[in-house]
């Protein structure tokens, strides 16, 4: 898309750039205070050379370069998670989060007929903490899964994080197989003896009865930003500030750009963000689930088609201006779940979005917390209670995060794929988390 957009703009000379109006940066796009002096990072130099050569770039191209550039990308060579990083995620806060998600996947596996194969595929696994908590639940419920062929498949572009995941999840006594040029660039065995593989792209993950997990994955995919003007929708681009040669600014495209096709005709907002890459991944997940069964669970910051400008940066757990010192901060934009729903229609059913507070309550977080509190000493009790508050408090993560699921149509309507000899008949039962469970 960005190549076509540049074709519209063409290589812009300094005079032409000055004609393109600057887009109310302070009002719409600044995320945190700008420093008095510009920090010229290697990524900023790279972007300035790129813009000088080809003209202004889309916000989507900017995000892709800053986050995943193979040489200088923010995600490629650093560990940005935890207290010493730039942000912290739910699995790092409390083990209960991952345990309840493990229960969700087993619940759906049982509800869809206990297939003989169980592929757990996680997109963007972070440090591997969430997968580790889920695998612990699988081990504790080994009697339920004893006749099931389980395998773990992690989709990860970051070399640094994949090494951390391997340390977290695999058995040290069994060496990892590594092949940088292969679609499966790393293989091993988990501490509980389950095969585990790493991929750079979802397309490379084997197709089969799979359960997909995407926790804080979609919010870092590149978005195109659009502003409504008297001339119609105009895409937001990033250009060099003509007043300061080592500083970037937002500008509006002077004409229609190809990504505008993703805007709904009846769109009422005056500013929208669209993520074509998210649509492609959702369609891939939907096709796989419709063909071979399984389910997908997505948890992320987001909204149901109501928000406007959500593009922001985080550095050291604080908001960070998105155009300042690129490559040193995380960039994110809220997920538009209404767009994900549209991209899945006709292939699978969808549930949600539902607030994290409600989802975890429906999954029995209060019951699990009580069990752990009864077994813990005072320091551990305080840690559990603080983690619970962070996950459930509406002013913290409780209402900022949402859960969204993709399921086969027959899961909700009782029709089934032809079953193999090892598969039992699926039951039409409520989907855990999206309705209150009856605890016995």
């Amino acid at each position: 898309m960005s190549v076509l957009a540049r074709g519209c703009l063409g290589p812009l000379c300094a005079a032409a750039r000055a004609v393109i109006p600057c887009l109310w940066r302070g009002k719409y796009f600044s995320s945190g205070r700008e420093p008095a002096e510009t920090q010229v990072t290697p990524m900023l130099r790279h972007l300035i050379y790129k813009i000088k050569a080809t003209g202004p770039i889309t916000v989507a191209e900017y995000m892709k370069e800053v986050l995943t550039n193979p040489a200088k990308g923010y995600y490629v060579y650093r560990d940005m998670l935890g207290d010493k990083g730039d942000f912290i995620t739910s699995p790092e806060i409390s083990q209960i989060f991952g345990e309840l998600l493990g229960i969700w996947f087993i619940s759906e596996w049982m509800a869809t007929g206990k297939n003989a194969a169980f592929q757990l595929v996680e997109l963007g696994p972070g440090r591997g903490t969430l997968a580790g908590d889920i695998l612990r639940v699988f081990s504790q419920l080994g009697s339920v899964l004893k006749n099931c062929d389980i395998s773990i498949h992690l989709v990860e572009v970051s070399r640094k994080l994949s090494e951390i995941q391997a340390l977290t999840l695999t058995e040290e006594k069994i060496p990892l197989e590594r092949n940088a040029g292969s679609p499966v660039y790393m293989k091993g065995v988990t501490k509980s003896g389950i095969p585990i593989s790493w991929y750079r792209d979802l397309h490379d993950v084997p197709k089969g009865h799979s359960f997909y997990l995407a926790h804080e994955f979609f919010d870092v995919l590149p978005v195109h930003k659009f502003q409504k003007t008297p001339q119609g929708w105009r895409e937001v681009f990033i250009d060099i500030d003509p007043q300061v040669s080592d500083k970037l600014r937002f500008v509006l495209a002077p004409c229609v750009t190809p990504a505008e096709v993703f805007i709904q005709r009846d769109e009422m907002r005056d500013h929208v963000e669209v993520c074509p890459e998210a649509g492609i991944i959702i369609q891939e997940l939907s096709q796989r689930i419709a063909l071979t069964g399984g389910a997908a669970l997505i948890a992320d910051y987001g909204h149901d088609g109501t928000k406007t400008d959500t593009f922001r940066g985080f550095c050291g757990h604080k908001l960070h201006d998105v155009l300042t010192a690129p490559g040193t901060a995380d960039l994110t934009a809220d997920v538009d779940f209404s767009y994900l729903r549209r991209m899945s229609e006709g292939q699978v059913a969808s549930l949600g979005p539902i607030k994290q507070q409600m989802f975890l309550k429906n999954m029995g977080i209060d019951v699990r917390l009580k069990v752990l509190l009864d077994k813990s000493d005072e320091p551990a009790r305080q840690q559990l209670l603080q983690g619970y508050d962070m996950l459930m408090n509406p002013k913290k993560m409780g209402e900022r995060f949402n859960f969204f699921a993709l399921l086969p149509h027959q899961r909700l309507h009782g029709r089934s794929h032809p079953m193999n000899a090892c598969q039992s008949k699926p039951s039409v039962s409520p989907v855990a988390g999206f309705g209150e469970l009856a605890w016995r």
Side-chain angles (χ1 to χ4, degrees):
M1 284 296 180
S2 55
V3 174
L4 294 173
R6 289 200 301 270
C8 169
L9 287 168
L12 297 180
C13 65
R17 283 197 187 99
V19 173
I20 303 175
C22 185
L23 196 83
W24 314 293
R25 176 189 168 129
K27 184 174 181 181
Y28 281 100
F29 301 109
S30 181
S31 298
R33 293 181 179 177
E34 295 181 40
E37 295 183 4
T38 302
Q39 181 183 348
V40 181
T41 61
M43 176 55 70
L44 178 58
R45 290 194 198 98
H46 166 71
L47 291 166
I48 288 173
Y49 292 148
K50 184 181 182 72
I51 292 169
K52 283 181 177 178
T54 64
I57 58 174
T58 65
V59 173
E61 191 170 357
Y62 177 79
M63 287 183 73
K64 190 171 184 178
E65 284 291 326
V66 170
L67 297 179
T68 60
N69 179 285
K72 307 176 182 70
Y74 173 80
Y75 283 128
V76 177
Y77 294 107
R78 69 171 70 203
D79 175 15
M80 69 297 296
L81 294 161
D83 293 336
K84 296 180 180 179
D86 295 321
F87 58 93
I88 193 164
T89 61
S90 296
E92 309 290 335
I93 292 169
S94 174
Q95 69 180 74
I96 303 176
F97 184 86
E99 290 172 348
L100 295 179
L101 267 56
I103 295 293
W104 190 90
F105 285 113
I106 293 175
S107 171
E108 280 307 297
W109 172 75
M110 294 175 69
T112 53
K114 299 182 181 179
N115 195 284
F118 189 130
Q119 288 193 167
L120 179 65
V121 182
E122 185 175 2
L123 310 180
R127 282 175 157 176
T129 306
L130 182 53
D133 290 338
I134 291 172
L135 286 171
R136 187 172 62 253
V137 171
F138 285 7
S139 295
Q140 291 169 346
L141 296 176
S143 60
V144 177
L145 298 164
K146 61 182 178 181
N147 296 321
C148 186
D149 182 17
I150 303 174
S151 57
I152 309 299
H153 306 263
L154 305 181
V155 179
E156 179 59 74
V157 298
S158 169
R159 185 183 302 177
K160 177 70 173 179
L161 287 178
S162 64
E163 293 296 337
I164 295 172
Q165 293 153 16
L167 286 171
T168 302
L169 299 171
T170 62
E171 177 54 68
E172 293 180 9
K173 295 177 183 177
I174 304 175
L176 290 163
E177 297 178 33
R178 301 171 190 272
N179 186 346
S182 170
V184 188
Y185 66 85
M186 200 158 64
K187 283 184 179 181
V189 177
T190 70
K191 294 172 182 177
S192 54
I194 295 173
I196 182 169
S197 303
W198 279 262
Y199 313 78
R200 294 181 187 87
D201 197 294
L202 174 61
H203 290 288
D204 297 322
V205 176
K207 292 182 179 178
H209 193 78
S210 301
F211 292 88
Y212 301 90
L213 173 59
H215 177 260
E216 288 200 54
F217 171 79
F218 283 92
D219 68 299
V220 298
L221 297 180
V223 297
H224 292 264
K225 293 175 70 66
F226 289 88
Q227 179 72 32
K228 189 177 285 184
T229 74
Q231 292 76 40
W233 289 104
R234 290 294 181 265
E235 186 165 3
V236 179
F237 276 65
I238 291 168
D239 192 12
I240 301 165
D241 191 324
Q243 307 300 320
V244 186
S245 62
D246 56 3
K247 187 177 180 182
L248 301 175
R249 65 165 186 167
F250 289 103
V251 297
L252 284 178
C255 57
V256 172
T257 53
E260 188 181 325
V261 299
F262 294 100
I263 301 176
Q264 292 288 96
R265 289 185 178 181
D266 58 352
E267 180 59 65
M268 300 299 292
R269 291 170 290 175
D270 60 5
H271 188 94
V272 295
E273 296 164 338
V274 294
C275 184
E277 194 171 330
I280 291 169
I281 293 170
I282 286 294
Q283 288 179 333
E284 171 77 8
L285 292 175
S286 300
Q287 289 167 5
R288 286 169 171 250
I289 293 168
L291 182 65
T292 59
L297 186 64
I298 297 164
D300 226 316
Y301 289 103
H303 58 93
D304 207 11
T306 56
K307 290 187 179 180
T308 55
D309 174 40
T310 69
F311 182 38
R312 59 201 182 279
F314 285 99
C315 184
H317 300 273
K318 296 179 180 179
L319 281 171
H320 177 90
D321 188 274
V322 293
L323 298 184
T324 297
T328 65
D330 187 32
L331 301 178
T332 179
D334 282 11
V335 178
D336 183 348
F337 288 104
S338 68
Y339 174 66
L340 303 192
R341 188 184 304 113
R342 289 198 305 275
M343 292 299 101
S344 68
E345 283 175 356
Q347 297 189 82
V348 294
S350 63
L351 291 176
I354 181 174
K355 299 296 183 186
Q356 175 170 292
Q357 179 191 43
M358 184 60 67
F359 179 88
L360 296 180
K361 184 175 180 62
N362 290 341
M363 286 301 302
I365 189 172
D366 295 322
V367 175
R368 180 58 178 156
L369 177 67
K370 185 177 185 306
V371 169
L372 291 174
L373 288 174
D374 289 345
K375 295 179 179 179
S376 302
D377 57 20
E378 188 55 33
R381 286 172 62 89
Q382 288 304 313
Q383 189 174 4
L384 284 166
L385 289 169
Q386 288 171 6
Y388 175 89
D389 180 64
M390 181 66 76
L391 293 176
M392 298 292 283
N393 191 324
K395 295 181 180 179
K396 296 178 181 178
M397 289 181 164
E399 290 194 354
R400 293 180 182 176
F401 277 84
N402 294 270
F403 278 79
F404 181 82
L406 302 176
L407 304 152
H409 284 295
Q410 60 268 21
R411 167 67 178 92
L412 301 183
H413 300 104
R415 299 187 305 276
S416 175
H417 285 299
M419 293 179 291
N420 60 45
C422 301
Q423 192 176 1
S424 58
K425 185 177 180 180
S427 59
V428 184
S429 56
V431 178
F434 294 87
E436 190 171 355
L437 293 181
W439 290 89
R440 297 178 182 176

